[in-house]
Each structure stands twice: as structure tokens, then as C-alpha cells.
Amino acid sequence: MIKKFIRKILGVKDERDPTEPRILGPEEHGIDLKLVSPNAIRLTQTLQEAGFKAFVVGGAVRDLLLGVKPKDFDIATDATPEQVKKLFRRAFIIGRRFQIVHVMFGQELLEVTTFRGKGSNNAPKDEHGRVLRDNNFGPQHEDAERRDFTINAMYYDPANQTVLDYHGGIEDIRAKTLRIIGVPEARYREDPVRMLRVVRFAAKLGFTIEPATRAPIPVMAPLIDNVPAARVFDEMLKLLLSGHALACLQELRSAGLHHGLLPLLDVVLEQPIGMKFVTLALESTDGRVKAGKGVSPGFLFASLLWHQVLEKWTAYRAAGEAPIPALHLAADAVLDTQTENLALQRRIATDMRDIWAMQPRFERRTGRAPYKLLENPRFRAGYDFLLLRCASGELESEIGEWWTAFYDAESGERERLVTQQTRVRPAARSKRAPRRGPRHRNGEGGAETGERSASAGEASAGGNDE
């Protein structure tokens, strides 16, 4: 106590003992116990009654300190995975790189990790220093040291409502600062995904990245190429479905991390139409997430990669391919690249392909074509994608307005809309210069995508309802 007083008088910064946490009581941290999952309380209590330490940890504590109800609750304990598994009926040990236990309470999944010790020099690493596997357990203060950011390295005990803070996380939360624990270069080399996480947290929380934490990112960004594509995809999905996707992508660009994650995204964002289209898609997705509505990853990635498809589609058509085969070739080319880079799941890739393939069909508004398209199980996703194209200025508003009217109309009104469109199209044809070769007999052929346009106010991204 006297030493601390003397250091304060002399203006010397107090160096915190990393093995001793700062203990915050309920009056100081202000966590509302009502925001804590009853199952998380039950799980920690069960472990404590069995003689183990157990705490709510990580992002859940951070959110509780910010007054936000966490979506997920992670638990840290000194019990081994096998000891945890024995205490709960529905518990499953998973993971190779780090063993963890998933404990199920009804539909709620809680993740339980054993305190990690300092990384062993013998832990398997790749040639760039990324840790491949390390299940070295240790004391709680070492577990705190191994966590990524100070704001994620606090432990909350619901039983006595105290928070243990080993690395000044509470001060950084109050200062809205993101700070990595340890030497940034070494921590990023251990796990390059941390560079994506810092961007996501900064955008989601509205925090500033501490200069020393930010500085190495542009130089070390290529290390992400060494991370398994599935892990990068999972992190990108979290980023895009965070409710702050637009801010995250802007932060990615600012930090120099966008290259290679979504190839050509930086180019797309620098093109007026492409930038507007992607911005509208991300704003719509963010709005749906904040409103608690579902979001389709397929719709989101179809939006992000559309202008790559559009560019290739245009090139194939210019080379003489018919519109529909040209679109399929373009989709195949883009998906082949992205599946390799991002480990896109087959289901998501299928959804993307379906949404893209519907776009030329929206040009066919005569005969039975509109009715057949309306019966497509993915119609709503394709329709909302069309509205995005309209709102961005890629297509004229008329086509989007027509499909909105057709979608909302009763059967009699739909027939009138189709009949009206059938009358309009021959007149439009007569104004065009004569073509070489035989003409199609009826007016059902429809204009090719790109020859006409469409735009319908704001795109709802309701395809995310799928």
C-alpha cells in the first residue's frame, strides 16, 4: 500500500503483477445479473460444487460490462475436459487444435474451456510460426495472458458477482480501446485470424485500435493465407453477420486486410455502381441483423461477388456466348475461385448460383414466364437481388416496379400486367434497327439482361428470409 502511494506521488506508473488480478465488486463493474444466462449460472455452480473454479469469460463478460445481453456464454475452468464431461449428461469433447467441451442445456450450447498454460516450445507450428495444436493446461493467470485482447481477458463469477481483471481490460473498455495482450507481432504470428478479429471488434463495438496493436497488421496480413480456408470463412461470416458488416469491410480496407479475402472486392468498391450495390446489400444485411431477422449467407455472398460475375458475364457474351450459357460460365468461374479461397460450403454456393441464374429470367415478362418464375422456391431471394440491382442504378426502375406490382397483385391484376407488357414489347421492337437472321415468333423471348434496366427504390434483401 505504502509502495503504491509513493509511486503515485513520484508519478511512476504502477506496474500490475500479471499473476494477481484486479478484483471488481458489483458496485464497481455494474453487471446486471439478469443479463446472465441461467444455464451459465447453473454450469458454473455445478463445477464449483464439484471443487473446481469456474467463470463466465471472454466476450460475454465484455458485453455484460457494456450493458449488452451476450448472445453466447463461454465458461473457463480448471477442470480438464474429461472432468467436465463427467459432470454433465449432454457434454461433448471437440477440437484438435484446442480441446473444448460443448455442454447442451435444451437448445442452448455453452462452450467450456480448461485454463490454458503458456505455450510450449514443443507445440507443433507451421513454418510461419502459427500454432497448430496446443492443449497445454495451466493456472488462471496464464490463461488470461494467452487470450487475445485485454477486453476479452476478464472472468466473471456469478456466485459472488466479482470480475477478475488481469490486464487492465476494464480501463480499455471505458476508454473504448482495443489492445492486444503481449507483443502484437508474436500474437499475430501465433494465430493470424486475430487480425480479422481485431477489425471485427473495432467495427462492432465502435472502439479504436491501439496504435501498437494496429501497426503490424498491413505487413503481416499475408499470413492469413496460411490459415485453413474454413477458419477464414467462419471468421468472415462472423464479420459479415455482425450487424456492422459495412463498417467491418471499411475497417478491413483501412487495415490493409481486404486483399485476398474477397478477391477484387477492393476494385469493386472503387467502381461507382459496384460500390453502391455492395453498400446497399451490406446496409440491408446490417438492418436485418439489428432487427433480429434471419440473414442468408448465400444471398450475402451472392451480393458481394455479383460484380465479378457481371464482369465475366459481359466478357463471355462479347465473345459470342448466348446470355444464359454465358451467365453459367461466369458463375462457375467466380465460384471455382471463391470456393478455393473461402471454403464456401456447397449449400451456400448453390444458393448463390440460383440467385444469379434467375436474373435474366426477370427480363421475360410475357406469356407464362412470369408465373413460372414466381413458383421458383428461391423467387424471393432472386427478386430482392433484382431490387438491389435496381436501387444501385445497374437496371432501370421500371422492371423492379413491374415485378413488385406483379408479386403483390391478385390473379386478375397479374393477367392485366402481363397483357400490358405483351402489348408494349412489339412496339418497342419496331423502333429497333432490323436484325440479321430469322426473328423469334412470339414476344416471349424477352430482352437480355443488360439491354434494359430496372431499379426499385430500396432493396430489402428479403432474400435473406430464405
Side-chain angles (χ1 to χ4, degrees), residues 18 55 74 155 202 232 242 244 263 276 286 296 427:
F55 302 85
D74 295 339
Y155 303 76
V232 175
S242 66
H244 304 271
K276 188 171 183 181
D286 288 346
S296 162

Side-chain angles (χ1 to χ4, degrees), residues 277-289 293-300 303 355 378-389 391 456-466:
F277 181 88
V278 170
T279 299
L280 286 169
L282 294 177
E283 286 178 345
S284 175
T285 297
D286 288 346
R288 294 181 65 82
V289 171
K293 297 179 180 179
V295 177
S296 162
F299 186 93
L300 181 55
S303 301
I355 290 168
R378 298 289 294 158
F379 170 82
R380 182 57 195 253
Y383 162 74
D384 284 336
F385 196 86
L386 171 74
L387 295 187
L388 277 179
R389 298 176 67 201
E458 293 186 12
S460 67
N464 296 321
D465 283 325
E466 299 289 359

Side-chain angles (χ1 to χ4, degrees), residues 24 29-32 35-36 40 44 54-76 140 147 150-158 161-166 169-170 173 205:
L24 308 173
H29 61 64
I31 288 177
D32 183 355
L35 296 177
V36 183
T44 54
F55 302 85
V56 175
V57 71
V61 182
R62 177 198 69 224
D63 290 347
L64 289 169
L65 289 167
L66 291 170
V68 177
K69 184 176 178 61
K71 290 184 178 179
D72 302 298
F73 286 84
D74 295 339
I75 310 298
Q140 187 173 7
R147 294 188 178 269
T150 60
I151 63 171
N152 291 339
M154 289 177 282
Y155 303 76
Y156 176 61
D157 184 353
Q161 297 189 52
T162 58
V163 170
L164 306 187
D165 180 7
Y166 285 89
I170 190 68
I173 280 183
L205 302 173

Side-chain angles (χ1 to χ4, degrees), residues 93-113:
I93 298 176
I94 67 167
R96 291 183 57 194
R97 184 167 179 260
F98 297 123
Q99 277 195 341
I100 59 179
V101 183
H102 281 174
V103 181
M104 299 292 299
F105 290 95
Q107 296 300 311
E108 185 176 12
L109 184 150
L110 299 176
E111 191 169 281
V112 184
T113 60

